Amino acid sequence: MIKIGMLIGERYEILEKIGTGGMSDVYKAKCHKLNRFVAVKVLKQEFSENENFVSKFKVEAQAAAGLMHPNIVNVYDVGNENGIYYIVMELVEGITLKKYIEKKARLSVKEAISIAIQVSMGIEAAHNNHIIHRDIKPQNIIISKDGKVKVTDFGIAKAATSNTITSNVMGSVHYTSPEQARGGFSDEKSDIYSLGITLFEMLTGRVPFNGDTTVAIAIKHIQEPIPSPREYVPEIPISVEQIVYKCTQKSPDRRYQSMGELTEDLKRSLMTPDEDFVKMADPDEEASTRVIGAGDVKEIKKQVQKRSSVTGDSIRLRKEVEEERSRKKKVKTTKQSELEEEDEDEEYDPRMEKIITILAVIAAIIIGVIVIFLVGRAMGVFPSGGSEQQTEVNTEQSSQENQTENEAGGFLSGQETVGLPNVEGWPFAEASAKLKQSGYEVAKEEVFSDTIESGNVVSQSPQAGTQLKSGEKVTLRVSLGKEQTQVRVPNVIGLSEMDAVVTLTEAGLKPGEITQTTNDDPTLVDMICYQSYSVGAYVEAGTAIDLKVSVGVGESTYSFVGSIAGPGEEDADYVSGTETIVILSTSAGVEIHRTTATAFPLNLNVTGIKGAEDGIITFVYTVTLPGTTTTNEAGEIITIPGVTEERRVNRAVRFAKE
């Protein structure tokens, strides 16, 4: 059982829990051997006695330990102590790509491509070591505070061999490739598909396929074509759209064949985004949209049930499978009826074809006669039936012309009025796409909201149900989330003391205590090397940020020179002249000096104190409490003798830097 404060591997002190996953928990720890903070991933206790889980956990450790790349969370150590299986890895301070997308609603094209390049380079390094991730998704991509992108959690990665590998894990269904969804062979190109879905989400703020159940979403990955990201964000360049298309082809053979190829196209799209340079494979039968068969559905359900047995959601997922089975049965019945009707319609009858031909000829003759009559009448060949009849004909003709004009103006030029759909609560990208498909213009206004999630529609104007003509404007008020009363802590590491103070002030903060300290980085001499709040953290405006200025490499020394008053300041029972032990120690409890005194103030001069700015003076002495007398109910006098007890008083002090 992991507890805060415990030491594992004789060097890693567990400090706090910072995350949890399906089968492991992640803790922040301090490595006392190398004096650095690390992340420790520990297999959950309920799984540690399961041989299958332990085996999978060991595979993860062995696979990840062989990877060293700037865009991968590096693994430092693996171990097993008293049934506790753990992996020690690089501690990356930042946020996941998923939270970053949610925070910004969607990313700019350049930012999305830049992140995708770093991710692809990290995964390429894994592929070069014959390791497939199999669970690429924004939740497994971390953006550090300095902007570095790192891939993490090789939780279901396995070392690839020359043999066929069958994945028994669905992964996250919104990002899973068609071959993973079917439970079949998966290789490096499965990671390419998942990265394509991740790129789609970065660009649009949404995933391409959604559904009520995991099974329904998996089926969409297999048989539905991916929508164009330009449907949601029209300004996406054609090259970026084509990269997404190529990554997410149903057939692995039509995707990029390596992460290196994908990286090259991503880099080229940064330079010439509007150039149509992406080479797509020729269409073939295998790559076309596939109608899912009964075997595929059975396999998908099998994979989902396997996954649910791991996560403990078997009851819920089994219910989803049954619902999907029922829905598929209804769809099958409906499609069967449609096919039967089509078969009946397509039956060929020669006699019917002959009759239709004769009727068509007769209709053509009648139309020709009418046209000749109307033209002749207009030229005066055929007399009219009088002024009243002419007036009636003209009126009727005028009425018909007006009706035709109205129909042309209404239906032919798209001006019919329809009821405005309700998109309140929808993500903006989806709401905008829905309204544009209905023929409306969309305007966006951003507002703060305490109840609506950031990026979703708070309200619409006009309201839902309003009769509007196609082409009219609809204004969507989109949530920015709760109004921030806090400010973001800037990075002042590496700045001079004056520049740091200015930066904090401009950010709405104020400098706290500024002290000097040593630092191992020689480039930070006379610069800020420490700030009391992490970069990017949100704090209340006006918060004081403590700073430390580096005085160079090496250990600083301090001294204490002063006159110490007796413990009577803290303890009224202390009697002057009592023999008292005076102990000077660091705030960490390391004793520096000890003496005995009977008179105060005591002058003390201690130099060469290492590695501590703060200290404690401890007074140890005895106090004799006088006896008392009392009378009981019988009138007897009872004497309670005095007692002597040892007392200890602590007083905080500050050392001076030498």
Side-chain angles (χ1 to χ4, degrees):
M1 175 73 71
I2 289 290
K3 294 182 179 179
I4 303 301
M6 74 180 295
L7 197 70
I8 62 174
E10 299 182 352
R11 62 188 290 189
Y12 305 111
E13 180 185 359
I14 303 298
L15 301 178
E16 60 177 310
K17 188 175 181 179
I18 58 176
T20 186
M23 67 181 203
S24 60
D25 294 318
V26 184
Y27 296 86
K28 180 179 180 180
K30 183 174 183 180
C31 174
H32 288 281
K33 187 173 182 179
L34 297 177
N35 193 29
R36 66 181 176 186
F37 292 107
V38 295
V40 178
K41 178 179 286 190
V42 180
L43 184 64
K44 287 183 177 179
Q45 185 67 28
E46 59 264 35
F47 299 136
S48 61
E49 297 178 358
N50 185 309
E51 292 183 3
N52 290 333
F53 278 99
V54 171
S55 175
K56 186 181 294 183
F57 200 74
K58 288 180 178 179
V59 168
E60 173 184 355
Q62 293 167 357
L67 299 177
M68 294 294 290
H69 191 273
N71 297 118
I72 291 178
V73 175
N74 295 315
V75 173
Y76 300 142
D77 192 11
V78 295
N80 170 21
E81 182 174 295
N82 299 324
I84 299 175
Y85 296 89
Y86 64 89
I87 302 174
V88 182
M89 61 187 70
E90 176 186 5
L91 179 65
V92 182
E93 293 189 3
I95 63 173
T96 66
L97 177 58
K98 186 70 174 180
K99 290 186 185 253
Y100 189 61
I101 295 172
E102 291 172 352
K103 182 179 177 182
K104 299 190 70 174
R106 65 178 176 86
L107 310 187
S108 68
V109 173
K110 285 188 176 180
E111 189 173 26
I113 295 300
S114 298
I115 291 174
I117 289 173
Q118 294 187 62
V119 173
S120 64
M121 291 171 67
I123 301 174
E124 182 182 13
H127 289 177
N128 289 340
N129 283 273
H130 309 294
I131 296 172
I132 307 167
H133 193 289
R134 288 189 175 85
D135 197 20
I136 296 297
K137 57 184 178 180
Q139 294 91 326
N140 285 338
I141 298 168
I142 300 177
I143 302 176
S144 67
K145 291 179 179 178
D146 60 359
K148 181 69 73 176
V149 178
K150 291 177 176 283
V151 183
T152 186
D153 195 5
F154 285 78
I156 54 175
K158 297 179 181 179
T161 66
S162 58
N163 299 326
T164 298
I165 298 175
T166 300
S167 173
N168 288 325
V169 183
M170 282 271 297
S172 297
V173 70
H174 285 99
Y175 309 91
T176 194
S177 67
E179 59 270 22
Q180 285 175 292
R182 288 192 295 265
F185 177 86
S186 60
D187 58 9
E188 289 87 349
K189 291 183 280 296
S190 300
D191 285 348
I192 291 175
Y193 183 94
S194 299
L195 180 54
I197 301 294
T198 300
L199 178 57
F200 185 102
E201 185 174 1
M202 284 194 284
L203 294 166
T204 65
R206 52 160 291 162
V207 290
F209 300 126
N210 239 320
D212 295 331
T213 67
T214 54
V215 175
I217 298 170
I219 289 173
K220 288 183 179 180
H221 277 288
I222 294 173
Q223 68 179 24
E224 289 191 11
I226 188 170
S228 168
R230 300 174 80 177
E231 289 182 15
Y232 307 100
V233 185
E235 59 267 27
I236 291 176
I238 186 172
S239 66
V240 179
E241 178 191 46
Q242 292 301 308
I243 288 173
V244 172
Y245 275 150
K246 188 168 183 178
C247 287
T248 56
Q249 290 293 303
K250 304 299 181 188
S251 169
D253 293 336
R254 298 190 70 212
R255 300 174 202 154
Y256 288 98
Q257 297 304 293
S258 70
M259 279 291 177
E261 290 182 14
L262 172 57
T263 304
E264 288 181 9
D265 274 6
L266 287 169
K267 290 179 177 179
R268 186 171 176 181
S269 70
L270 279 179
M271 297 181 290
T272 56
D274 296 318
E275 182 183 348
D276 187 7
F277 59 81
V278 178
K279 296 180 180 178
M280 304 293 290
D282 292 333
D284 54 37
E285 183 179 350
E286 181 184 13
S288 61
T289 300
R290 174 176 176 177
V291 178
I292 190 165
D296 287 326
V297 174
K298 182 178 179 181
E299 186 61 34
I300 291 169
K301 293 173 182 175
K302 180 180 177 182
Q303 297 304 319
V304 172
Q305 287 171 333
K306 282 184 179 180
R307 183 169 179 254
S308 68
S309 66
V310 174
T311 61
D313 292 336
S314 58
I315 296 176
R316 175 179 62 80
L317 288 175
R318 195 171 291 114
K319 181 180 178 182
E320 292 179 356
V321 170
E322 292 303 324
E323 291 174 350
E324 187 65 22
R325 179 184 297 164
S326 176
R327 188 182 72 81
K328 284 292 175 184
K329 187 178 294 182
K330 292 179 182 178
V331 172
K332 182 178 181 181
T333 303
T334 302
K335 288 188 175 180
Q336 183 74 21
S337 300
E338 292 175 352
L339 289 172
E340 290 174 357
E341 291 176 2
E342 289 175 4
D343 289 341
E344 292 175 0
D345 291 340
E346 291 175 0
E347 290 182 0
Y348 179 72
D349 187 342
R351 290 183 300 171
M352 182 59 69
E353 182 180 12
K354 185 175 182 180
I355 293 171
I356 292 173
T357 303
I358 294 172
L359 291 175
V361 173
I362 294 172
I365 294 172
I366 293 173
I367 292 172
V369 171
I370 293 173
V371 170
I372 293 171
F373 174 76
L374 292 176
V375 172
R377 188 182 193 173
M379 297 176 63
V381 176
F382 304 108
S384 63
S387 59
E388 290 183 5
Q389 185 178 355
Q390 182 67 37
T391 301
E392 187 177 331
V393 171
N394 290 341
T395 303
E396 183 178 351
Q397 183 177 353
S398 176
S399 175
Q400 291 175 348
E401 289 175 353
N402 289 337
Q403 182 179 354
T404 303
E405 289 177 3
N406 290 336
E407 291 176 352
F411 295 101
L412 298 181
S413 61
Q415 294 299 315
E416 72 273 16
T417 60
V418 294
L420 185 66
N422 184 4
V423 295
E424 292 184 4
W426 290 29
F428 173 72
E430 294 183 24
S432 177
K434 173 68 175 176
L435 294 176
K436 288 180 179 178
Q437 286 174 359
S438 300
Y440 302 116
E441 268 189 46
V442 177
K444 179 181 180 182
E445 291 182 5
E446 293 184 321
V447 296
F448 291 106
S449 173
D450 293 335
T451 57
I452 303 300
E453 183 181 353
S454 176
N456 288 1
V457 176
V458 176
S459 63
Q460 61 187 74
S461 179
Q463 295 181 347
T466 303
Q467 298 293 318
L468 289 185
K469 292 181 179 179
S470 180
E472 290 194 53
K473 182 189 292 185
V474 179
T475 300
L476 299 181
R477 298 176 183 86
V478 181
S479 172
L480 291 171
K482 293 183 179 180
E483 187 170 4
Q484 289 287 349
T485 59
Q486 298 180 315
V487 294
R488 193 168 184 267
V489 177
N491 184 9
V492 297
I493 303 298
L495 300 182
S496 66
E497 182 178 333
M498 180 177 295
D499 289 341
V501 170
V502 171
T503 301
L504 291 176
T505 303
E506 289 178 345
L509 304 169
K510 63 182 181 181
E513 187 177 18
I514 301 177
T515 57
Q516 293 182 330
T517 186
T518 58
N519 187 275
D520 294 335
D521 189 345
T523 64
L524 292 179
V525 176
D526 295 328
M527 301 294 180
I528 301 297
C529 63
Y530 166 85
Q531 59 188 76
S532 58
Y533 284 84
S534 300
V535 177
Y538 283 91
V539 298
E540 292 296 329
T543 298
I545 310 296
D546 295 336
L547 306 174
K548 291 184 181 180
V549 179
S550 172
V551 295
V553 180
E555 190 174 23
S556 299
T557 58
Y558 301 85
S559 62
F560 179 82
V561 179
S563 182
I564 303 174
E569 293 184 357
E570 292 87 1
D571 186 359
D573 293 332
Y574 175 78
V575 178
S576 179
T578 300
E579 185 176 275
T580 304
I581 300 174
V582 181
I583 304 170
L584 180 66
S585 60
T586 67
S587 57
V590 179
E591 186 174 317
I592 301 170
H593 182 79
R594 178 188 290 251
T595 188
T596 301
T598 55
F600 292 95
L602 174 67
N603 293 322
L604 202 62
N605 187 343
V606 180
T607 61
I609 302 171
K610 294 183 178 181
E613 299 180 41
D614 302 307
I616 300 173
I617 296 176
T618 303
F619 301 91
V620 183
Y621 54 92
T622 59
V623 171
T624 301
L625 300 177
T628 59
T629 58
T630 184
T631 303
N632 62 16
E633 294 179 355
E636 297 174 340
I637 298 175
I638 299 175
T639 302
I640 300 175
V643 295
T644 300
E645 63 181 33
E646 183 180 272
R647 292 191 179 177
R648 181 180 293 259
V649 172
N650 291 328
R651 183 184 300 163
V653 293
R654 192 67 179 263
F655 302 145
K657 184 173 175 54
E658 293 182 329

